[in-house]
């Protein structure tokens, strides 16, 4: 098989959070067609135990530790170089040396970059076909963060949003093609980088519907008589933490006054101190890392995704829909999903009043399974089907034609 270089900001396994779900399935797909040479960082010490799983898919790997505290200090170089802080955060000279060496040794003609922070390693190799998977518009996340922070962090985040957008535009212009996670996300970027529009494409994420299958049996993790609503996600990710804090303090208490047996489960790894403190509140449970989220989804009455800062596609929503669960989410979390055909079992709420009005009928009944949710996911979010755009773009290297 022909060689291909794949650069990822975080080891693409285990697929237990949004970016790693997409990068893992992309890696799997690429490995069926190419001899993949993978360069990636490991920022969670527990992920070192999964390196053999990743190496089995690759011709070679360069996996380097990334220490968040140290990298944050390093990122401050961007303040006097004029860069987005994201770039020095993810820059390590040994990875650049490995990239340069493997491209020369293997005569690599195809490079796939996952996340804008990794594009810097491929910039000096224009002789190769370079495909950029931005996934989300990261620059906009920083701008959203700025709205929720006070001085001086709001100014720092606003600067990061501007500088990172400049870099995203530069990469989209210089690389051969760019990808985003949804048509909506691609459209937003094209509005902000209109000169790059002809090279911008997108593909939906997928869901492993064999794994997230409501027909499978799971032990009920909830005590009898509880009405359980659940949020799933990595709890050291600030938008997730902010979402459950807002929901737990603003929406959940009045709902529980209506139904005292209502319980809110926050399921996900590495909860922050502020999230852990929510567990002291009556009716709120913070599980931390669990071996399997499916029991919590399968036996929940409904799933909530009250994110107020979000970009792209929320895998947590797709997984809940694949499990045939009712879902209630913010407009930001639903962005990029055409869920109008899903009916009353999928509700969008923004204000506290909308959350209360939408939730009250749901807390009265027993758990529901909504088969149309799963059918919708299977129709629109199949990995093999959606990744065909990657095949089409990379095949243009062989034909010498411009990618479609």
């Amino acid at each position: 098989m022909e060689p291909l270089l794949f650069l990822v900001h975080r080891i693409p396994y285990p697929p237990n959070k949004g970016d790693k779900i997409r990068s893992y399935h992309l890696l799997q797909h690429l490995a069926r067609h190419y001899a993949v040479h993978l360069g990636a960082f490991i920022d969670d010490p527990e992920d070192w135990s999964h390196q053999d799983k990743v190496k089995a898919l690759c011709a070679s790997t360069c996996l380097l530790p990334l220490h968040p505290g140290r990298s944050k200090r390093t990122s401050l170089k961007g303040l006097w170089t004029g860069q987005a802080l994201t770039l020095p955060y993810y820059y390590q000279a040994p990875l650049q040396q490995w990239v340069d060496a493997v491209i020369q040794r293997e005569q690599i003609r195809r490079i796939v970059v996952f996340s804008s922070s990794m594009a810097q390693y491929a910039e000096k190799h224009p002789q190769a076909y370079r495909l950029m998977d931005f996934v989300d518009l990261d620059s906009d996340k920083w701008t959203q963060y700025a709205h929720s922070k006070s001085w001086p962090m709001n100014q720092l985040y606003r600067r990061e949003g501007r500088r990172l957008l400049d870099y995203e535009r530069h990469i989209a212009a210089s690389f051969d093609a760019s990808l985003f996670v949804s048509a909506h996300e691609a459209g937003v970027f094209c509005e902000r980088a209109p000169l790059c529009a002809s090279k911008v494409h997108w593909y939906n994420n997928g869901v492993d519907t064999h794994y997230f299958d409501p027909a499978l049996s799971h032990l009920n993790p909830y005590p009898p008589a509880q009405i359980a609503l659940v949020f799933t996600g990595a709890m050291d990710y600030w938008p997730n933490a902010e979402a459950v804090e807002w929901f737990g303090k603003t929406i959940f208490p009045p709902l529980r006054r209506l139904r005292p047996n209502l319980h809110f489960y926050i399921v996900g790894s590495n909860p922050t101190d502020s999230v852990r403190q929510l567990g002291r509140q009556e009716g709120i449970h913070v599980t931390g890392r669990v071996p399997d989220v499916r029991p919590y989804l399968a036996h929940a009455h409904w799933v909530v995704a009250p994110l107020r800062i979000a970009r792209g596609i929320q895998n947590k929503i797709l997984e809940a829909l694949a499990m045939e669960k009712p879902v209630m989410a913010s407009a930001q979390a639903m962005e990029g999903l055409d869920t109008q055909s899903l009916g009353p079992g999928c509700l969008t709420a923004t204000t506290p009043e909308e959350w209360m009005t939408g939730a009250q009928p749901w807390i009265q009944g027993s758990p529901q399974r909504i088969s149309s949710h799963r059918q919708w996911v299977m129709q629109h979010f199949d990995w093999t089907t959606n990744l065909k755009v990657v095949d089409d773009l990379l095949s243009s290297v062989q034909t010498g034609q411009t990618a479609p």
Side-chain angles (χ1 to χ4, degrees):
M1 291 192 290
E2 291 196 33
L4 176 144
L5 177 62
F6 186 35
L7 299 172
V8 192
H9 68 303
R10 183 179 290 120
I11 183 175
Y13 198 86
N16 57 1
K17 58 176 65 175
D19 64 285
K20 293 170 79 171
I21 292 170
R22 185 172 170 101
S23 62
Y24 171 66
H25 285 279
L26 179 55
L27 171 60
Q28 269 196 324
H29 187 79
L30 293 171
R32 296 188 187 106
H33 306 285
Y34 301 97
V36 177
H37 299 267
L38 171 71
F41 293 112
I42 297 181
D43 58 2
D44 183 342
E46 293 195 19
D47 283 350
W48 285 106
S49 64
H50 303 296
Q51 59 180 310
D52 289 344
K53 175 73 174 180
V54 171
K55 289 180 177 180
L57 294 170
C58 301
S60 74
T61 61
C62 179
L63 302 175
L64 297 175
L66 187 147
H67 304 285
R70 187 183 307 165
S71 293
K72 285 179 182 177
R73 293 190 293 272
T74 302
S75 72
L76 296 177
K77 293 179 181 178
L79 293 176
W80 61 83
T81 63
Q83 291 177 296
L85 304 186
T86 300
L87 299 182
Y89 183 98
Y90 282 103
Y91 182 79
Q92 291 187 23
L95 181 57
Q96 184 69 71
Q97 293 163 6
W98 179 84
V99 166
D100 297 343
V102 78
I103 288 175
Q104 182 177 15
R105 184 181 71 245
E106 302 295 334
Q107 294 297 293
I108 287 175
R109 295 194 302 150
R110 297 174 179 84
I111 302 173
V112 178
V113 177
F114 188 94
S115 179
S116 59
S117 59
M118 300 301 286
Q120 57 190 316
Y121 295 101
E123 281 201 71
K124 65 178 183 178
H125 295 285
Q127 75 282 3
Y129 181 92
R130 297 175 297 179
L131 177 59
M132 179 73 237
D133 190 348
F134 283 107
V135 190
D136 304 325
L137 193 54
D138 284 335
S139 56
D140 193 74
K141 288 182 184 176
W142 289 104
T143 302
Q144 289 187 52
Y145 293 168
H147 296 319
S148 303
K149 297 292 184 179
S150 56
W151 191 89
M153 296 308 295
N154 61 348
Q155 296 301 312
L156 188 66
Y157 288 171
R158 196 167 285 117
R159 175 196 184 275
E160 184 68 4
R162 292 194 304 269
R163 297 298 169 88
L164 195 53
L165 178 59
D166 289 342
Y167 187 68
E168 290 164 342
R169 288 169 173 151
H170 164 69
I171 291 303
S174 58
F175 277 38
D176 295 277
S178 298
L179 293 161
F180 286 89
V181 74
S182 68
H184 174 82
E185 201 78 356
V188 171
F189 182 70
C190 287
E191 290 176 0
R192 299 178 187 184
L195 298 179
C196 305
S198 63
K199 298 196 291 182
V200 172
H201 310 265
W202 62 275
Y203 69 94
N204 276 331
N205 279 359
V207 178
D208 185 345
T209 52
H210 296 291
Y211 185 81
F212 290 98
D213 186 348
L216 299 176
S217 178
H218 300 283
L219 292 176
N220 190 346
Y222 308 120
Q226 282 191 1
I227 298 175
L229 55 139
V230 66
F231 176 96
T232 62
M235 295 317 305
D236 55 353
Y237 181 50
W238 186 66
N240 285 346
E242 195 273 343
V244 298
E245 289 177 49
W246 177 80
F247 185 86
K249 295 175 181 178
T250 306
I251 307 301
F252 180 72
L255 286 178
R256 197 164 196 270
R257 285 194 289 271
L258 296 174
R259 291 300 299 269
N261 59 336
L262 183 67
H263 290 256
F264 178 34
Y265 283 80
I266 301 167
V267 180
S269 61
N270 304 321
T272 62
D273 289 341
S274 57
V275 172
R276 289 187 183 278
Q277 288 176 10
L278 286 175
R280 301 174 184 172
Q281 190 173 319
E282 191 71 25
I284 297 182
H285 310 266
V286 181
T287 69
R289 189 187 301 268
V290 298
D292 191 345
V293 301
R294 291 174 299 173
Y296 292 89
L297 291 173
H299 294 281
H301 280 63
W302 38 295
V303 176
V304 294
L307 290 103
R308 300 193 294 171
I309 298 171
R311 293 278 358 147
I313 301 292
Q314 299 300 317
N315 291 284
K316 57 176 64 68
I317 293 178
L318 299 180
E319 291 163 359
L321 295 174
M323 294 288 283
E324 302 184 344
K325 305 309 296 184
V327 173
M328 193 170 187
S330 65
Q332 294 93 321
M334 290 292 197
E335 195 170 76
L337 291 174
D338 182 11
T339 57
Q340 293 182 356
S341 60
L342 291 177
C346 189
L347 298 181
T348 300
T350 301
T351 66
E353 293 75 21
E354 289 173 344
W355 278 95
M356 292 297 298
T357 301
Q360 286 186 49
W362 288 12
I363 65 176
Q364 306 300 325
S366 57
Q368 302 178 51
R369 281 178 51 175
I370 305 174
S371 60
S372 61
H373 284 185
R374 180 172 175 82
Q375 293 165 8
W376 182 81
V377 168
M378 295 177 74
Q379 179 181 355
H380 298 286
F381 295 92
D382 175 76
W383 280 114
T384 301
T385 300
N386 294 346
L387 282 166
K388 187 178 182 300
V389 67
V390 176
D391 297 335
D392 292 343
L393 291 166
L394 291 175
S395 70
S396 68
V397 181
Q398 294 176 325
T399 63
Q401 299 173 351
T402 301

